[in-house]
Amino acid sequence: MALNLDTIRATADRVAASHHLEVVDLEFQGGGGKFRTLRVFIEKNAEERAKLAARAAEESTEEVVLPKGIPVEMLSGVTHEDCAMFAQDFGTVLDVEDLMPGTEYTLEVSSPGLERKLYRPSDYARFTGSLVKVQTFTPVNNNRQWQGRLTEFAGDVLTLDLSAVKQKGKAKKAATATVVEIPLANVEKAQVVAEF
């Protein structure tokens, strides 16, 4: 039986939904043998993140202790208990439905972290205002590496304010303007840059 990541992803989404979670990303490493790892990155779903933001706004820190200086929307809201419960349920389903052929694999479950990768259009909309690193497939203004503040995401185009960060290397030479627009279709990878 071959490994089917689409089926595994759909199963992970189903199990996550039962815990009020969302799957941010899923990675598989290792081909054969016992050094295979399935990594699943989860966060609270939008409804649970909204509750977390509301609690932070009320400043009722009795229930939730939040890190200082980090916008609540940047937090995934996931606890160790969330990861453990998801891992137990998801691991059971993987084994019962034999979705991971072979006998040995490691299942790792965690939050996407503060410097999370951006995948979906909703990620770019959610993290508008954040500092981001972007790598493009083809050069924009003779550069493929950009870092700046994501000021707008509209019409599947990212707008980065380059003046938010001191540019380095080729980006410094390519940054003749203070703003760069990058079509989402040209984004090879992007991630949030944590600010403290």
Side-chain angles (χ1 to χ4, degrees):
M1 179 180 181
L3 183 73
N4 186 334
L5 281 179
D6 291 335
T7 302
I8 292 172
R9 173 68 186 237
T11 304
D13 287 337
R14 188 178 77 232
V15 172
S18 71
H19 291 281
H20 305 286
L21 300 168
E22 290 179 0
V23 175
V24 175
D25 191 23
L26 189 135
E27 296 175 351
F28 177 73
Q29 291 184 335
K34 58 185 173 182
F35 300 108
R36 302 178 311 148
T37 302
L38 179 63
R39 288 190 184 93
V40 183
F41 300 94
I42 60 173
E43 68 180 354
K44 295 284 190 187
N45 65 17
E47 182 181 329
E48 293 297 313
R49 288 193 318 269
K51 288 179 186 176
L52 181 65
R55 279 185 272 172
E58 293 171 4
E59 295 182 356
S60 63
T61 55
E62 298 166 17
E63 296 176 36
V64 179
V65 177
L66 299 174
K68 301 283 186 233
I70 299 172
V72 175
E73 191 54 34
M74 301 262 318
L75 302 175
S76 66
V78 172
T79 64
H80 290 285
E81 291 79 17
D82 292 326
C83 291
M85 286 189 309
F86 173 82
Q88 182 176 0
D89 291 352
F90 182 53
T92 300
V93 173
L94 286 174
D95 294 342
V96 168
E97 295 182 9
D98 199 24
L99 297 176
M100 291 291 294
T103 56
E104 294 186 34
Y105 68 93
T106 301
L107 174 62
E108 296 178 1
V109 179
S110 71
S111 78
L114 290 177
E115 294 202 337
R116 65 182 302 142
K117 294 177 183 175
L118 303 175
Y119 299 99
R120 304 171 289 235
S122 60
D123 292 340
Y124 292 94
R126 175 177 166 193
F127 291 102
T128 297
S130 299
L131 207 56
V132 296
K133 275 194 238 182
V134 177
Q135 181 174 317
T136 60
F137 288 109
T138 60
V140 175
N141 294 350
N142 297 318
N143 189 33
R144 292 184 55 228
Q145 311 278 336
W146 295 98
Q147 185 168 334
R149 188 156 315 278
L150 178 59
T151 57
E152 184 179 7
F153 177 70
D156 285 343
V157 175
L158 312 149
T159 303
L160 297 182
D161 175 7
L162 304 176
S163 65
V165 175
K166 185 175 180 179
Q167 301 298 318
K168 301 175 194 167
K170 287 183 180 179
K172 188 174 185 177
K173 293 175 187 173
T176 55
T178 59
V179 173
V180 66
E181 292 184 344
I182 303 170
L184 183 59
N186 192 21
V187 175
E188 182 176 354
K189 59 184 174 180
Q191 75 179 65
V192 174
V193 176
E195 297 179 83
F196 297 100

